[in-house]
Amino acid sequence: MPGPDHQRAAPRSAPTPLRVFPVSSEAPVLDAQTRTRLGRQLRALYDPVIDEMLDPRLAELLQQLDADRADETGR
């Protein structure tokens, strides 16, 4: 659970539309302001998940995977 030092984005009444600028016919590019805004929103969504404790079973599995990978590179 997030502590009191976490800052959350202030809720908005209506979202601002994303501005997309086509660079070529293949892929659109987001402007800097839109990328910054998306980054803040993603951080607000994922910070609580990142701050959660890791399940001990998952931690053990990750340690085993790291050990297996080290064995493979040592050969």
Side-chain angles (χ1 to χ4, degrees):
M1 183 166 284
D5 58 331
H6 283 270
Q7 294 181 2
R8 298 285 173 234
R12 291 186 179 186
S13 57
T16 307
L18 298 178
R19 292 186 303 235
V20 179
F21 299 98
V23 173
S24 67
S25 61
E26 295 178 15
V29 174
L30 299 175
D31 69 344
Q33 181 182 7
T34 300
R35 287 193 312 268
T36 301
R37 196 173 93 231
L38 285 172
R40 286 185 188 134
Q41 290 175 347
L42 287 170
R43 182 177 301 277
L45 287 172
Y46 283 106
D47 272 350
V49 175
I50 299 299
D51 292 340
E52 288 181 10
M53 277 192 65
L54 190 60
D55 184 294
R57 296 172 294 179
L58 181 56
E60 184 180 336
L61 176 62
L62 291 172
Q63 289 173 346
Q64 183 61 49
L65 289 171
D66 285 341
D68 292 347
R69 188 177 302 136
D71 288 344
E72 287 179 6
T73 58
R75 293 180 191 180

